[in-house]
Amino acid sequence: MFSISYIVYSVCVMFILQNVTTAFGKPYATNEVEQSHICPRIVTREEWKARVVTNYKLLDFSPTPYVVVHHGGIKHYCFTQDTCSEIVRSYQNLHMDERGWIDIGYNFVIGEDGNVYEGRGWNIVGAHAPGYNTQSIGISIIGDYTDRLPNEAALKALNSLIKCGVMMGKIQNDYKLVGHRQTRDTECPGTCFYEYIQKLPNWTNKLHPIYDHQQNNATSNQHLQSLFNNREIYSTTMNVTDEYSKELKIISRAEWGARKPQGPVDDLPQYPAPYVVIHHSATPGCTSQAICQSRVRSFQNYHMDHNKWSDIGYNFLIGEDGIVYEGRGWGKRGAHCPKYNPKSIGICIIGDFANIEPNLIAIETLKDLIKYGVSKGEILNNYKLIGHRQGSLTTCPGNKLYDLIKTFPHWESNP
């Protein structure tokens, strides 16, 4: 039995939470709230050194009816505030600089240090799940959870954060919990983690976002209008945010100033390509389009003038500017890995990755390019991913990049 004093204490804490949050619009209230163990520790944007952002849009529905769970999708993990903050900054840079969003896409990010990192916060529309952004809180746990679960500290923080949101009136009491893969074609939040959230009490496979059906009932429309407090009601059929729809940027041969091939460039004998071969250029990298284009021209010159190949050897190249540069292109036999040239798409990330990994933008672009090739029917659905060293006597694509691609779902250890 609970004592009367405990019940009074709980009511008081809830009252304080609701009133302080209303007054200041913060994702959590005070240090006293943290000390009460109702909410997990939330590292503010100022603490993790977020870039300054404006032009936010308030959530259309608060408390929100949905919580959407994500993972970072890359096997970068963190167990201290410093390293987690660095990764959160990299997410923000990727989302703003490459994807053109106004800020980091998630409302909150969680590290395996057990801390929650404030993204867009409780009150702001995210850019994490089209169709649900205006009516959900998006929470991502740093790391790749295809083959394992987040640690106990991260899972505890996730559950505490959701309970905190409910108590603060930011998430509905009867909220629906979903994985990112339920809202779009993605593997996120990873197979193992998705199995875990399916067992949580509020998980649902019955998704009915408000904008996915017509509100024909006049009474219902009036109710919605009162909820919006005279704000604009978006069309029931529109995609409520376009921040996730930015297309992969591929610079054509003409744009980067390619020479004409000095001989025939054959079509792939095996099509769609059953293999993807990853390379690095083993040269200095590039983080701007101008420099990357210069690097690509130099590679073509070397391949044609020194190696006497008919054209640049790769099908595509990727810079750490997050842009794809067309080499021989889709459906063409490359000159990058003799054993696999007739049956692969060869992709080179510009830079030397023997001792460092490519930046997050380049890694995400690599994944996106492969997915794009599969969607276009240029790469087999069940393709095999390998590093150059698996087909030739070479250290390419560098130890760090090779270790990284071995964590990708389609990597093949014995091609």
Side-chain angles (χ1 to χ4, degrees):
M1 295 290 291
F2 291 105
S3 67
I4 293 176
S5 61
Y6 179 82
I7 294 172
V8 171
Y9 170 76
S10 298
V11 172
C12 289
V13 169
M14 291 179 67
F15 178 82
I16 291 169
L17 268 170
Q18 290 174 344
N19 281 274
V20 173
T21 303
T22 301
F24 297 101
K26 294 293 185 181
Y28 56 96
T30 64
N31 288 333
E32 286 76 18
V33 173
E34 292 179 8
Q35 292 166 5
S36 71
H37 303 293
I38 296 169
C39 298
R41 182 173 186 276
I42 300 180
V43 179
T44 66
R45 294 174 63 88
E46 291 78 11
E47 288 179 280
W48 62 262
K49 297 181 174 58
R51 292 159 63 175
V52 177
V53 175
T54 57
N55 299 322
Y56 283 125
K57 181 183 182 298
L58 292 175
L59 283 165
D60 286 342
F61 291 90
S62 185
T64 58
Y66 284 92
V67 174
V68 182
V69 178
H70 305 253
H71 72 164
I74 296 175
K75 293 193 175 184
H76 290 169
Y77 304 95
C78 60
F79 304 93
T80 67
Q81 185 172 325
D82 285 346
T83 54
C84 289
S85 295
E86 182 179 358
I87 292 175
V88 176
R89 288 194 296 271
S90 74
Y91 288 176
Q92 186 187 40
N93 290 337
L94 172 69
H95 292 176
M96 294 177 68
D97 298 335
E98 171 57 21
R99 295 186 176 167
W101 303 348
I102 60 172
D103 194 8
I104 188 170
Y106 311 116
N107 297 89
F108 296 97
V109 180
I110 295 173
E112 287 188 299
D113 60 343
N115 286 330
V116 176
Y117 294 80
E118 180 188 17
R120 299 198 184 192
W122 293 115
N123 304 311
I124 304 301
V125 174
H128 56 91
Y132 293 82
N133 289 324
T134 63
Q135 54 201 283
S136 70
I137 295 296
I139 305 171
S140 178
I141 298 186
I142 295 169
D144 185 315
Y145 300 107
T146 302
D147 302 317
R148 75 168 179 90
L149 281 176
N151 67 8
E152 184 178 351
L155 293 177
K156 181 179 178 181
L158 172 65
N159 290 308
S160 297
L161 181 65
I162 295 172
K163 290 178 181 178
C164 177
V166 172
M167 183 172 292
M168 294 171 62
K170 300 298 182 181
I171 299 172
Q172 287 183 6
N173 287 320
D174 59 347
Y175 69 90
K176 295 177 174 64
L177 181 71
V178 300
H180 186 199
R181 64 174 63 184
Q182 293 174 260
T183 70
R184 62 178 287 132
D185 184 16
T186 177
E187 297 174 357
C188 180
T191 302
C192 195
F193 189 22
Y194 182 58
E195 290 175 357
Y196 169 83
I197 68 169
Q198 285 179 284
K199 298 173 184 176
L200 295 178
N202 285 64
W203 178 80
T204 183
N205 61 357
K206 298 177 181 178
L207 282 68
H208 300 290
I210 293 164
Y211 295 122
D212 278 5
H213 62 275
Q214 296 290 335
Q215 297 287 342
N216 293 322
N217 185 280
T219 303
S220 183
N221 278 337
Q222 290 171 1
H223 177 60
L224 282 175
Q225 187 67 48
S226 66
L227 283 175
F228 284 133
N229 194 23
N230 295 321
R231 282 185 283 158
E232 177 184 1
I233 297 179
Y234 285 79
S235 164
T236 57
T237 58
M238 73 176 291
N239 189 359
V240 293
T241 178
D242 62 358
E243 289 186 285
Y244 223 99
S245 63
K246 185 177 180 184
E247 293 183 357
L248 190 68
K249 186 173 183 180
I250 301 179
I251 299 298
S252 69
R253 292 172 60 89
E255 288 179 279
W256 61 259
R259 294 161 57 181
K260 291 183 178 179
Q262 58 189 11
V265 177
D266 296 331
D267 292 336
L268 279 172
Q270 294 189 40
Y271 178 86
Y275 284 88
V276 175
V277 182
I278 305 301
H279 303 256
H280 73 162
S281 64
T283 66
C286 56
T287 56
S288 71
Q289 184 175 335
I291 295 175
C292 288
Q293 290 182 168
S294 176
R295 295 267 193 276
V296 176
R297 288 193 295 270
S298 72
F299 300 155
Q300 187 189 40
N301 290 337
Y302 185 82
H303 290 177
M304 293 175 68
D305 299 336
H306 182 269
N307 293 353
K308 303 302 179 182
W309 298 346
S310 61
D311 197 0
I312 190 169
Y314 311 114
N315 296 87
F316 296 96
L317 302 96
I318 295 172
E320 288 188 299
D321 57 348
I323 296 175
V324 178
Y325 297 84
E326 181 187 21
R328 298 196 179 195
W330 299 117
K332 296 298 181 181
R333 178 173 178 155
H336 54 90
C337 187
K339 182 179 177 181
Y340 290 90
N341 287 333
K343 54 185 177 183
S344 72
I345 294 295
I347 303 173
C348 176
I349 301 183
I350 301 169
D352 189 327
F353 302 110
N355 300 310
I356 60 170
E357 291 181 352
N359 65 13
L360 185 61
I361 295 174
I363 296 167
E364 287 295 304
T365 302
L366 171 63
K367 289 183 173 182
D368 289 345
L369 178 63
I370 295 172
K371 289 179 182 177
Y372 181 61
V374 171
S375 72
K376 284 174 58 70
E378 302 288 349
I379 300 172
L380 279 178
N381 285 319
N382 61 343
Y383 70 90
K384 296 177 181 179
L385 180 75
I386 63 171
H388 184 194
R389 64 177 63 182
Q390 293 174 267
S392 298
L393 185 60
T394 176
T395 60
C396 180
N399 289 337
K400 287 292 187 178
L401 178 53
Y402 183 60
D403 288 343
L404 180 63
I405 66 170
K406 286 193 290 185
T407 69
F408 288 14
H410 286 257
W411 181 71
E412 176 61 40
S413 58
N414 295 299

